[in-house]
């Protein structure tokens, strides 16, 4: 079950999904992102996302198992 949303601040206007997941401490290393995305458990703005290079901008919502994040 998901708790409240956690906002993760970024530098600049956009960030790639893989970088965002590392910044938010969802994964420990960049190499872990690929496996997480391959599992089909990451959603961006309500849709399953498998591209680690997907550009995120402030206001986008990312849901991973057990956590809801907002790009800030």
């Amino acid at each position: 079950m998901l708790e409240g949303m956690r906002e993760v601040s970024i530098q600049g206007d956009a960030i790639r999904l893989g970088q965002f997941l590392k910044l938010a401490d969802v994964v420990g290393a960049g190499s872990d992102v690929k496996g997480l995305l391959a599992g089909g458990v990451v959603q961006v703005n309500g849709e399953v996302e498998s591209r680690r290079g997907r550009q995120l901008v402030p206001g986008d919502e990312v849901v991973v198992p057990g956590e809801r994040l907002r790009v800030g």
Side-chain angles (χ1 to χ4, degrees):
M1 185 160 153
L2 296 175
E3 296 286 327
M5 188 172 298
R6 177 166 63 103
E7 184 152 329
V8 179
S9 296
I10 64 169
Q11 298 290 326
D13 297 330
I15 189 170
R16 288 197 278 287
L17 178 58
Q19 293 173 319
F20 180 76
L21 293 174
K22 282 186 357 187
L23 179 65
D25 290 325
V26 172
V27 295
S31 58
D32 298 333
V33 172
K34 191 173 182 179
L36 186 65
L37 294 173
V41 297
V42 178
Q43 292 183 16
V44 175
N45 297 328
E47 296 185 3
V48 174
E49 183 58 70
S50 61
R51 298 171 295 163
R52 129 177 111 176
R54 161 81 184 259
Q55 290 289 313
L56 304 175
V57 296
D60 281 345
E61 293 181 12
V62 178
V63 177
V64 295
E67 193 163 17
R68 173 177 263 142
L69 308 163
R70 182 188 304 270
V71 180

